[in-house]
């Protein structure tokens, strides 16, 4: 089986995720698109891990899963805080930090 | 590539799961219903776990199911509910200039695909080597990659404390 199969699938998912980050206004939907990106990277790592028959790819895939879990926890609590203060999580209305 | 080294069942499985994953991923970024988008994300995660099994990484596949489908998706659904998103169709989920994302994504896909196809022209996965054993993975975690493992446990601890501090009402 070609390695390229998995690498191209990862590239497609990555680009769909990037589109989601650019296009979405709802903060929760942006976090979902970021999850797509992280998953596509994991797919690449595991494909290379199996290609070279080396455990390093599996190790870093596990680390990325852990980092993604931490990122979602902090991200969603920030979204909840923003919602509590502004009654809205539309990202284009958040302009307090504009210079 | 020798014809006998092509595993037909593996390829059919890959393309079926890949088609489901791409369709569900497009639904995640384009669905007008927040809950439906979250459920499409479950489909992508499950498809990714299946692809990990095709890549003979059982431990990562099981972890994917436990962490993503079990924990992260529950967090997302709580996030959707607590921010009182409209539970039906919502026409106001995209930015004004969302169309800009399409050329960016297509251009990026073109560049990455070109680099990948040029770099690994017909490299194949070894069919006869068997999976990377979970024992080898744990040996790697606890010997050469122990320091990132410690760093990661601190990241998780700080993320948990940070989430509590941010979300509690004073």
């Amino acid at each position: 089986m070609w390695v390229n199969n998995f690498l191209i699938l990862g590239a497609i998912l990555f680009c769909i995720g990037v589109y989601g980050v650019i296009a979405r206004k709802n903060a929760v939907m942006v976090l979902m698109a970021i999850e797509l990106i992280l998953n596509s990277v994991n797919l690449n790592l595991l494909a290379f891990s199996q290609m070279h028959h080396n455990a390093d790819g599996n190790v870093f895939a596990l680390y990325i899963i852990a980092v993604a879990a931490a990122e979602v926890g902090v991200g969603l609590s920030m979204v909840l805080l923003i919602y509590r203060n502004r009654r809205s999580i539309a990202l284009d209305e958040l302009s307090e930090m504009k210079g | 590539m020798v014809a006998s080294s092509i595993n037909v069942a593996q390829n059919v499985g890959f393309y079926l799961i890949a088609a489901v994953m791409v369709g569900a991923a497009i639904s995640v970024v384009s669905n007008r219903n927040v809950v439906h988008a979250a459920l499409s994300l479950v489909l992508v995660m499950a498809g990714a776990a299946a692809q990990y099994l095709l890549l003979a990484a059982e431990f990562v596949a099981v972890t994917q199911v436990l962490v993503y489908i079990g924990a992260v998706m529950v967090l997302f659904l709580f996030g959707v509910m607590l921010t009182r998103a409209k539970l039906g169709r919502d026409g106001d989920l995209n930015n004004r200039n969302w169309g800009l994302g399409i050329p960016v994504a297509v251009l990026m896909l073109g560049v990455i695909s070109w680099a990948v196809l040029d770099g690994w022209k017909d490299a194949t996965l070894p069919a006869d080597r068997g999976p990377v054993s979970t024992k080898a993975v744990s040996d790697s975690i606890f010997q050469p990659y122990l320091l990132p493992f410690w760093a990661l446990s601190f990241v998780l601890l700080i993320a948990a404390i940070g989430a509590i501090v941010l979300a509690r009402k004073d």
Side-chain angles (χ1 to χ4, degrees), chain A residues 1 4 23-25 35 84, chain B residues 31 68 93 95 120 125 167:
Chain A
M1 193 162 190
N4 275 344
R24 289 300 207 184
K25 186 157 81 172
E35 292 303 309
R84 202 181 290 150
Chain B
N31 209 315
Y68 272 112
L93 284 175
N95 279 322
W120 290 274
L125 295 173

Side-chain angles (χ1 to χ4, degrees), chain A residues 46 50 58, chain B residues 10 50-59 130-133:
Chain A
L46 290 174
Q50 180 65 11
N58 286 41
Chain B
Q10 204 181 16
Q51 299 285 22
Y52 299 166
L53 282 181
L54 274 183
L55 284 167
E58 309 102 334
F59 187 68
V132 177
S133 69

Side-chain angles (χ1 to χ4, degrees), chain B residues 72-152:
Chain B
V72 170
M73 286 320 301
V74 174
L75 269 183
F76 269 124
L77 290 175
F78 267 108
V80 168
M81 280 186 282
L82 289 175
T83 54
R84 309 239 176 87
K86 277 185 207 141
L87 287 181
R89 286 168 64 84
D90 186 350
D92 196 28
L93 284 175
N94 281 354
N95 279 322
R96 265 178 326 235
N97 40 8
W98 62 272
L100 202 62
I102 294 175
V104 171
V106 170
L107 192 70
M108 199 178 251
L109 180 62
V111 173
I112 298 178
S113 308
W114 177 74
V116 163
L117 291 174
D118 192 50
W120 290 274
K121 290 187 180 65
D122 47 6
T124 52
L125 295 173
D128 50 349
R129 302 282 296 276
V132 177
S133 69
T134 306
K135 178 174 177 295
V137 176
S138 69
D139 282 348
S140 285
I141 289 179
F142 290 112
Q143 279 161 7
Y145 296 116
L146 187 59
L147 200 63
F149 182 72
W150 279 345
L152 195 62

Side-chain angles (χ1 to χ4, degrees), chain A residues 76-88:
Chain A
L76 279 176
S77 65
M78 283 167 64
V79 169
L80 282 186
L81 198 65
I82 292 170
Y83 177 77
R84 202 181 290 150
N85 287 333
R86 305 179 51 102
R87 298 281 121 192
S88 154

Side-chain angles (χ1 to χ4, degrees), chain A residues 1, chain B residues 7-19 50-51 54:
Chain A
M1 193 162 190
Chain B
N7 185 334
V8 177
Q10 204 181 16
N11 272 286
V12 170
F14 171 83
Y15 284 115
L16 278 179
I17 301 167
Q51 299 285 22
L54 274 183

Side-chain angles (χ1 to χ4, degrees), chain A residues 11-85:
Chain A
I12 293 172
L13 288 182
F14 184 89
C15 294
I16 293 173
V18 169
Y19 165 77
V21 171
I22 295 174
R24 289 300 207 184
K25 186 157 81 172
N26 187 316
V28 179
M29 309 291 276
V30 172
L31 282 176
M32 286 185 202
I34 292 175
E35 292 303 309
L36 280 182
I37 295 177
L38 290 169
N39 260 284
S40 73
V41 174
N42 266 350
L43 208 54
N44 278 17
L45 281 175
L46 290 174
F48 287 130
S49 173
Q50 180 65 11
M51 176 183 166
H52 298 294
H53 210 263
N54 188 329
D56 293 1
N58 286 41
V59 172
F60 280 99
L62 289 170
Y63 287 180
I64 288 180
I65 290 177
V67 170
E71 173 253 329
V72 170
V74 175
L76 279 176
S77 65
M78 283 167 64
V79 169
L80 282 186
L81 198 65
I82 292 170
Y83 177 77
R84 202 181 290 150
N85 287 333

